[in-house]
Each structure stands twice: as structure tokens, then as C-alpha cells.
Amino acid sequence: MDGNGRWAQRRHHPRVFGHVRGASRIKPVVREAERLGVKALTLYAFSTENWTRPEEELGVLWKILKKFLKREADELDARNVRLRVIGELERLGPDVREVLDPVIARLSKNTGLQLTFAVSYGSRREIARAARLFAEDCVSGKRHPSDLQERGDDLLEEYLWTADLGELAQVDLVIRTSGEKRISNFLLWQAAYAEFVFLDLCWPDFSPQDFEQAVVEYSNRDRRFGGLGQKKELKTGGIRA
Ligand code: FPP
């Protein structure tokens, strides 16, 4: 959800105004994902690097997240949306966890759109953590290093924050707003074969129509997964914004 700060500054507003407007884009985007038949949607809300932002901005971001959860939990539940959060949850303040944890628990049985917020998320950290957890399992005797040779990628995926998403953890499409053309430590493993759509507009201007257009562009891409294969339909439904 990139470009909130620039969007606000261009309008001579404080950066946090962009975050408020950015958060208001989430609901229409979630609805559009449902309408398009997307099965999984991950929104990159806060990276491990974002902790370096000024205290004041961080405070507003947590406030926005709490407000969003309080305001939207009922409707998300009614729409059968499941919410997950990936990232270093242990770094979030107790006031955030107090709101977040019950919402995650409440929506945990829902079988509709699988919505994930990446919060205090960094993909390198996720992969390093997976390696550590695997090593710990080897030390305890639960696993053996040769398991990685036998089961390879599938096995390491069980240690990633996205493990719980199963096949949906594989990303089909990454949409990046704000004109930047980089991946910024987002789902590096999971997006190995993702298609990318880069948009010049900032996240607060991202509309359901932009989302639909990106999906149409995606569906016209020829995904070969390194082989010579033919065009594939949306395989897993893992659209990421
Ligand atoms: C990136 O824009 C956006 C963020 C760091 C925060 C995004 C958070 C929200 C929209 C609200 C809270 C989250 C949820 C899930 C309700 P930027 O500030 O890096 O923009 P810039 O690149 O223009 O400075």
C-alpha cells in the first residue's frame, strides 16, 4: 500500500493523512477481490524497516489499524472473510494485540476470502526464521537435514509465516503502487513466479477499477514457470497488493 506519504504531501497535508486515506481504500479493495473471485489477498501494511519512522507516525499507524479492526470486524465476519497477520507480531504493542488477537480468533474459521495483513513483515527475516526453526527441529531430532533434499521447497514452506495458507501462499500477482519498481522485501520466496503490475498512482488513489484492470492484465500474461507451458488461468488465486 505504497505512496500514502507522498499522496498527502502533494496535497500539503501531513503524511499521516495519507495513511488515513489509504486505510479507507482497504474495504473497497476487499470487496473487489471477492467480486473478482480472488481467493487470497495480502496487503503489505508495515515492513520491518518501517520501525525507523518517527514515533508520531508509528502511533498514528497503530491507531488506524486498531480503528479499522474495531470498525470492520463484524462486516468481515459476515462476509466470511478470514484474517491473518504475518510478521513479527511479538513486536506489536499490547494495545494493538489486545484488539488484533480476538479479531483473528473470531474470523479464524471463515472460509471466504483469505485476507492477510503483513505487519512488521520482512521476507528476509521470514526466511531466516524458517531456517532457524528447521535447524531447531533438526537438533531436537524431529527433522534431519536430508529431509530438505527429499522434500525441498515444500518442506521449508512449512516454516514460513504463510505456511497456514497452503497452496494459496504461492503468489500469482503482485501489484505495487506509487511508481516504485522494486519488491522491497515482500514475499520473496512466495512470489518466485509471481507476475508484477506496477502502477504510478499512489495507494490512496487505488480503486476497484485499477484492481480489476491489473487482474485483466495478469490474465493476459503467459506464465511459463520456467518451462514452455501454455497460458494458465489464475492458478491459486493469490493476488497480492
Ligand atoms: C506506505 O506508504 C504505507 C505504510 C507504511 C503504511 C500503510 C498503512 C495503512 C494504509 C493503514 C494501517 C494498516 C491497516 C492494515 C489497516 P509510505 O508512507 O511509505 O508512502 P511514501 O512512500 O509516499 O512515503
Side-chain angles (χ1 to χ4, degrees), residues 178-190:
S178 93
E180 307 295 357
K181 292 181 181 61
R182 48 177 182 265
I183 192 163
S184 297
N185 208 7
F186 185 55
L187 298 173
L188 300 177
W189 177 291
Q190 298 88 337

Side-chain angles (χ1 to χ4, degrees), residues 1-7 15 19 22-23 26 44-46 50 53 57 61 64-65 68 117 203:
M1 298 190 282
D2 197 18
N4 292 345
R6 275 165 286 169
W7 182 90
R15 292 174 49 80
H19 295 317
I26 295 175
Y44 199 2
F46 190 87
N50 286 151
R53 302 248 171 138
E57 183 170 339
L61 280 172
I64 295 171
L65 176 59
F68 175 89
F117 290 156
W203 173 258

Side-chain angles (χ1 to χ4, degrees), residues 16 40-41 45 60 93 110 118 123 142 146 151 170 182 188 229 234 236:
V16 291
L41 174 74
V60 174
N110 289 348
S123 196
K142 193 175 157 207
S146 64
R151 289 200 36 215
Q170 300 310 313
R182 48 177 182 265
L188 300 177
L234 198 63
T236 60

Side-chain angles (χ1 to χ4, degrees), residues 2-73:
D2 197 18
N4 292 345
R6 275 165 286 169
W7 182 90
Q9 280 168 331
R10 279 177 205 149
R11 286 158 181 79
H12 309 289
H13 288 299
R15 292 174 49 80
V16 291
F17 184 70
H19 295 317
V20 174
R21 187 60 74 97
S24 78
R25 297 291 84 210
I26 295 175
K27 191 165 157 172
V29 164
V30 165
R31 286 196 175 175
E32 183 63 9
E34 291 172 312
R35 195 187 71 81
L36 291 166
V38 168
K39 293 182 188 149
L41 174 74
T42 301
L43 297 170
Y44 199 2
F46 190 87
S47 71
T48 45
E49 293 74 27
N50 286 151
W51 285 107
T52 58
R53 302 248 171 138
E55 276 300 324
E56 198 194 337
E57 183 170 339
L58 295 180
V60 174
L61 280 172
W62 303 132
K63 229 182 233 172
I64 295 171
L65 176 59
K66 286 188 285 182
K67 209 165 165 186
F68 175 89
L69 293 165
K70 283 180 193 163
R71 203 180 46 218
E72 301 300 334

Side-chain angles (χ1 to χ4, degrees), residues 83-203:
L83 177 69
R84 292 178 178 82
V85 175
I86 54 170
E88 308 164 303
L89 286 187
E90 63 283 1
R91 284 184 79 178
L92 306 184
D95 57 318
V96 178
R97 295 295 297 267
E98 224 166 74
V99 182
L100 182 62
D101 293 356
V103 175
I104 292 175
R106 178 175 167 197
L107 308 186
S108 66
K109 300 274 183 301
N110 289 348
T111 54
L113 178 72
Q114 304 294 296
L115 176 64
T116 303
F117 290 156
V119 181
S120 190
Y121 175 84
S123 196
R124 285 180 171 177
R125 199 149 299 176
E126 176 181 36
I127 294 167
R129 175 181 169 274
R132 177 175 54 77
L133 293 176
F134 178 75
E136 282 172 9
D137 278 353
C138 289
V139 170
S140 73
K142 193 175 157 207
R143 296 274 185 212
H144 191 273
S146 64
D147 294 349
L148 270 188
Q149 231 149 3
E150 280 152 35
R151 289 200 36 215
D153 300 353
D154 288 354
L155 180 56
L156 208 65
E157 273 161 19
E158 289 177 14
Y159 292 87
L160 296 176
W161 275 315
T162 50
D164 190 38
L165 274 165
E167 198 202 14
L168 292 177
Q170 300 310 313
V171 177
D172 290 317
L173 169 62
V174 176
I175 302 170
R176 177 149 194 175
T177 55
S178 93
E180 307 295 357
K181 292 181 181 61
R182 48 177 182 265
I183 192 163
S184 297
N185 208 7
F186 185 55
L187 298 173
L188 300 177
W189 177 291
Q190 298 88 337
Y193 279 99
E195 296 294 322
F196 283 76
V197 169
F198 296 103
L199 300 175
D200 283 333
L201 53 84
C202 290
W203 173 258

